Amino acid sequence: AAGVIQSPRHLIKEKRETATLKCYPIPRHDTVYWYQQGPGQDPQFLISFYEKMQSDKGSIPDRFSAQQFSDYHSELNMSSLELGDSALYFCASSLGGLGLPPGADTQYFGPGTRLTVL
Amino acid sequence: KQEVTQIPAALSVPEGENLVLNCSFTDSAIYNLQWFRQDPGKGLTSLLLIQSSQREQTSGRLNASLDKSSGRSTLYIAASQPGDSATYLCAVIYNQGGKLIFGQGTELSVKP
């Protein structure tokens, strides 16, 4: 079965650089979530999109922005990178259609993008 | 504040033992609850989803229960195997937006 695809899998950046993380949800899934997991930490919710509109927002820095495109893939843009941004970034997708609200269905996670800021 | 707590933080058991992982949440007005497994440095694998109207879900050797009134969920693993060794995370959704609030996880080690 198709899974959530994230690219790149690994990314190394210098401080103050920018990074773009991409997420391709499971086919037919219309809801995408972004989470950040620091070393030894549990995942923290950043932002979510349902049918290309932002549906919820968590502790996402103003330096970060995200969007969902017409094909439902999503991109997380990170600017002015800081050492503390080094983490594993997960994308998850779920099916929120067929009358179901975004939170009703199982969230399926991608393998993550490991971002290292030097 | 909506918080999720998992006890114990780590657990080591011999192969074949049945075990229970605990998850508690401060606000009982949850939408649903999801259990995940995470291997070191890897992504999260969804194990079970329990809707707020349900009391339990089963998948193979796994059984998850939900008691909203007491703010608790348990994950029961039967006949544990070394391949079950991983960190198990409990996550709660409080609204229809789908934001998952995670516990800190229980690191399980099953010894052969």
Side-chain angles (χ1 to χ4, degrees), chain A residues 91-113:
Chain A
C91 170
S93 74
S94 68
L95 181 61
L98 303 176
L100 295 174
D105 194 24
T106 298
Q107 291 187 30
Y108 296 91
F109 279 68
T113 293

Side-chain angles (χ1 to χ4, degrees), chain A residues 33 35 37 40-43 45 48 55-58 88 90 101-111 114, chain B residues 31-32 34 36 38 41-46 48-49 51 89 93 95-105:
Chain A
Y33 312 82
Y35 295 87
Q37 186 176 32
Q41 304 293 315
D42 54 286
F45 172 77
S48 62
S55 57
D56 204 352
K57 192 172 182 180
L88 200 52
F90 289 111
D105 194 24
T106 298
Q107 291 187 30
Y108 296 91
F109 279 68
R114 184 171 296 282
Chain B
Y31 193 68
N32 63 39
Q34 197 165 349
F36 293 90
Q38 185 174 29
K42 304 292 186 181
L44 281 73
T45 300
S46 177
L48 289 163
L49 171 73
Q51 302 287 355
L89 293 156
I93 293 178
N95 59 52
Q96 295 184 10
K99 165 187 173 181
L100 284 169
I101 298 176
F102 284 86
Q104 293 282 356

Side-chain angles (χ1 to χ4, degrees), chain A:
Chain A
V4 176
I5 297 172
Q6 291 188 246
S7 68
R9 295 292 309 277
H10 301 272
L11 192 57
I12 299 176
K13 291 286 185 178
E14 300 279 343
K15 280 172 47 179
R16 292 179 289 277
E17 286 190 323
T18 61
T20 297
L21 279 55
K22 296 184 179 182
C23 169
Y24 298 86
I26 292 172
R28 298 197 305 122
H29 281 194
D30 51 13
T31 308
V32 168
Y33 312 82
W34 286 98
Y35 295 87
Q36 177 192 58
Q37 186 176 32
Q41 304 293 315
D42 54 286
Q44 296 292 316
F45 172 77
L46 293 178
I47 195 167
S48 62
F49 294 89
Y50 171 55
E51 281 291 344
K52 292 154 278 184
M53 299 284 289
Q54 182 180 306
S55 57
D56 204 352
K57 192 172 182 180
S59 50
I60 182 170
D62 292 339
R63 301 177 288 108
F64 294 8
S65 65
Q67 58 181 326
Q68 185 179 31
F69 295 87
S70 57
D71 64 351
Y72 295 106
H73 95 271
S74 178
E75 295 183 4
L76 177 66
N77 298 292
M78 311 161 71
S79 63
S80 302
L81 287 169
E82 303 174 355
L83 296 178
D85 295 330
S86 295
L88 200 52
Y89 290 83
F90 289 111
C91 170
S93 74
S94 68
L95 181 61
L98 303 176
L100 295 174
D105 194 24
T106 298
Q107 291 187 30
Y108 296 91
F109 279 68
T113 293
R114 184 171 296 282
L115 172 67
T116 302
V117 181
L118 303 176

